[in-house]
Amino acid sequence: MNCTQYLNNENPNINQNSKFIDSSFPSQKFSSKTENLLQIDNSNIVWKTAKEIFGENVKIFGETTSIKDIKIGPAENSYFLSAISSLSEFPNIILQLFRTLSLPDDGSPIEICMKIDGKWTVIFMDDKFMVNKENNVPIFSTSPTKNIWGMILEKAWAKSCGGYENIINGTSKEIFEAFTPFRVFEINIKQDESEAFWKYLYSSFEYNCMMTCLTKDNITDLESIGFISNHSFSILGYEENELNKNKNSIIKLLKMRNPLNIIDISKKDLIEELRIQNIKENGIFLMDFYKFIKIFSSITVCIPISSLKNYLIQIPKEKSYDFGTIRIMIKKESNLSISIIPPSQRFHQDMLPIQDIPKNLILIQIYRNKKKANYISSSYNESLFTNLKPGEYICIYNFDYKTTEIDRDDIQPFNISISSTEPINYCLDKSDNELKLLKYIMIPKIEELAKYKERFKEDFVVFTGNRFELTSFGFCYIKNNQRKTKYIKPSIYLRNFKSIEGELPTSIKMKKNSVFFFLFNRIKLKSAYQTGANVVFYKDEVNDAVEPIIYDKIPETYCKEMQYEDIKCDYELSS
């Protein structure tokens, strides 16, 4: 694990003659809102060392990591505990996060590695934790076994997020992404696709995936047995048992853990209704799969592929507005994922929200000898996954800061992560702000649609759409099929869109066979994507009308403009 960046640029050369003082993470007080939430007063909170809490027998690790090593505290941050519980089944992964394997006696810091904005980062910490001075119980997680590796990871998470108060709420996906090098997915549960979902779970267990699940927000009637709305559980395995040998029926069970360590066995009616069985003291139980899909809304899956090759590209701040390109060389067939990793508010507390910004990725294969490019895949939601044959590819990326209120000086650089099952070569290439590549692969398909519409012998062919279904890009296409010049005013009906190529002209001079082509970008991904176009005809000539290019064959025109053999990398290909 290549961990060279230090949180807050802390000096790794600690003075060995003095005790480490964590000045960047001092003892903190809660806001009144958090005091009410945790039902504790700041005056009752003190910071104590691990030995002051647990005694001399406290250790970072026992013989191995165990689900019994970590227990939820009054803060009840179930998303963190459910992910760490799943992670405890993989001690080798956890050990790689620790540069310090035993509690220091010389005053030196504990060193942890975790990912911040996709980049592995060293966190320095002392071994002090927040406790309630009345009962000496930690406010956040604790360790019944006195093996405190889970508490240390939780403190590293709190320090990277600016304090314990900022980690009360969150998602398991964030934890898997911060503490593992693996791919992480969130999947919504659909009751009408139960069999397909069971097959997915079954295959995930076969690949030893780490999984958590989230309860729905309307299960208040189940709180009496420990099932709380919007609460995370760990999924640890499955069982398939014969229910009736004569009928050959199979009951499907999931092995789960409630981080609250509570399943109230006295509520026998609810227990039987949910078909819960084999309840253990540490919150582990078995649950009927068909009852599971009625209570839980989503699962988070972390796929531990140890052979995965990971590459991280930092996009310079000055290129944050660009339509950038990355050249990728594939030598062996490979499963590939490309992800835009935006700066997270978790780690940049003063940053304005950016979660709805389109994060576009478009993958193109280049054929140099044929001077040709083919569209492969696209995504607007941070990540793109595909299988690639040997060859040369270009990935167009666009993280559209321009659609936000964030001042250019306040922009944080973002990263692009590439993961592949085989080694690759890549380089950050020149930007495509003229959108030549984008148009080159859009227009041929749009021409096919135009020819279909021309069968209806319309005087004007007018339509809009989204060539790349999984991106925020759209277009307006207008063609004059009449034998004479017309002056028109175009109109586009689309909620929350922004032009990529300047303002939409108020008037256009359309000669015979001329084509007007206009690109736009959705500003908010969560808004409705209802689009349409129309033209208004002017009776008289308009002097300042824009005159679009007359194309004989649009694809050939753009092919000449984009000479792929002349594209050069900014620097040598690296691996």
Side-chain angles (χ1 to χ4, degrees), residues 14 16 19 28 198 219 303 312 358 441 452-454 546 553 565:
I14 302 297
Q16 296 183 354
K19 186 175 181 179
Q28 298 168 310
W198 175 258
I219 60 166
I303 306 175
L312 191 72
I441 55 177
Y452 174 78
K453 289 181 174 289
E454 286 175 7
V546 174
K553 290 183 178 180
E565 67 272 21

Side-chain angles (χ1 to χ4, degrees), residues 85-338:
S85 293
S86 295
L87 195 57
S88 69
E89 303 288 314
F90 299 83
N92 290 338
I93 297 174
I94 293 173
L95 285 171
Q96 291 180 31
L97 302 174
F98 282 77
R99 286 186 167 188
T100 307
L101 298 179
S102 59
L103 287 174
D105 292 325
D106 58 359
S108 58
I110 298 170
E111 297 185 31
I112 299 295
C113 289
M114 63 173 285
K115 284 192 296 183
I116 294 180
D117 292 339
K119 188 175 179 63
W120 285 104
T121 304
V122 180
I123 314 288
F124 287 132
M125 299 181 303
D126 56 32
D127 68 336
K128 289 184 177 180
F129 302 93
M130 303 176 73
V131 300
N132 186 330
K133 71 178 183 181
E134 293 182 352
N135 54 20
N136 206 41
V137 173
I139 304 299
F140 283 75
S141 68
T142 187
S143 176
T145 63
K146 301 184 180 181
N147 300 324
I148 63 169
W149 61 267
M151 295 176 65
I152 290 172
L153 290 181
E154 184 182 49
K155 184 171 182 180
W157 176 240
K159 181 173 180 178
S160 68
C161 296
Y164 274 103
E165 190 166 28
N166 297 329
I167 68 166
I168 293 174
N169 298 309
T171 66
S172 296
K173 183 174 185 286
E174 293 177 299
I175 305 306
F176 286 135
E177 288 176 337
F179 292 108
T180 78
F182 307 129
R183 297 174 184 170
V184 185
F185 305 89
E186 286 183 333
I187 301 170
N188 292 327
I189 297 173
K190 299 179 181 179
Q191 292 188 45
D192 57 350
E193 298 177 4
S194 60
E195 295 308 313
F197 184 62
W198 175 258
K199 289 180 180 179
Y200 179 83
L201 286 175
Y202 183 88
S203 63
S204 298
F205 291 128
E206 292 296 303
Y207 283 101
N208 293 318
C209 293
M210 294 168 273
M211 286 187 280
T212 64
C213 52
L214 185 70
T215 55
K216 293 181 178 179
D217 57 6
N218 58 351
I219 60 166
T220 53
D221 55 325
L222 301 180
E223 289 185 1
S224 61
I225 61 167
F227 283 65
I228 299 174
S229 299
N230 295 314
H231 185 73
S232 291
F233 285 59
S234 305
I235 304 177
L236 305 176
Y238 76 99
E239 289 186 14
E240 287 184 323
N241 298 330
E242 290 185 354
L243 184 63
N244 187 325
K245 291 185 178 181
N246 296 327
K247 295 182 179 180
N248 199 27
S249 298
I250 300 294
I251 182 171
K252 300 170 181 175
L253 300 168
L254 290 176
K255 183 181 179 182
M256 304 175 63
R257 188 201 185 198
N258 183 352
L260 288 176
N261 289 1
I262 298 173
I263 298 292
D264 189 348
I265 59 176
S266 67
K267 310 291 184 180
K268 293 183 179 179
D269 291 342
L270 277 176
I271 296 294
E272 290 177 3
E273 180 184 340
L274 298 177
R275 297 179 188 172
I276 293 174
Q277 54 186 279
N278 289 20
I279 300 170
K280 307 295 183 182
E281 291 182 359
N282 54 4
I284 294 177
F285 61 96
L286 293 175
M287 183 176 188
D288 180 81
F289 167 71
Y290 295 102
K291 295 294 183 180
F292 168 86
I293 61 177
K294 291 181 179 181
I295 295 173
F296 291 85
S297 60
S298 63
I299 63 170
T300 301
V301 183
C302 180
I303 306 175
I305 304 176
S306 58
S307 60
L308 208 61
K309 311 296 185 296
N310 296 297
Y311 310 88
L312 191 72
I313 305 170
Q314 186 170 32
I315 305 304
K317 191 171 182 177
E318 61 272 14
K319 291 190 175 183
S320 296
Y321 281 75
D322 289 356
F323 282 79
T325 61
I326 298 171
R327 185 186 301 279
I328 302 170
M329 301 293 293
I330 304 292
K331 297 178 181 178
K332 292 183 180 180
E333 183 176 351
S334 177
N335 293 322
L336 190 88
S337 70
I338 305 173

Side-chain angles (χ1 to χ4, degrees), residues 174 340 342-346 348 351-360 380-382 399-401 403-406 522-527:
E174 293 177 299
I340 292 178
S344 171
Q345 280 186 287
R346 279 286 189 191
H348 309 282
M351 190 176 70
L352 290 173
I354 58 172
Q355 62 267 27
D356 291 339
I357 300 178
K359 307 170 186 70
N360 293 300
Y380 70 80
N381 193 21
E382 297 185 14
F399 181 38
D400 199 358
Y401 270 118
T403 61
T404 73
E405 299 176 357
I406 301 176
R522 278 184 291 167
I523 295 174
K524 294 183 179 179
L525 293 176
K526 291 183 179 179
S527 64

Side-chain angles (χ1 to χ4, degrees), residues 541-554:
E541 179 178 328
V542 180
N543 293 328
D544 58 350
V546 174
E547 187 171 343
I549 299 172
I550 298 176
Y551 297 113
D552 291 327
K553 290 183 178 180
I554 291 177

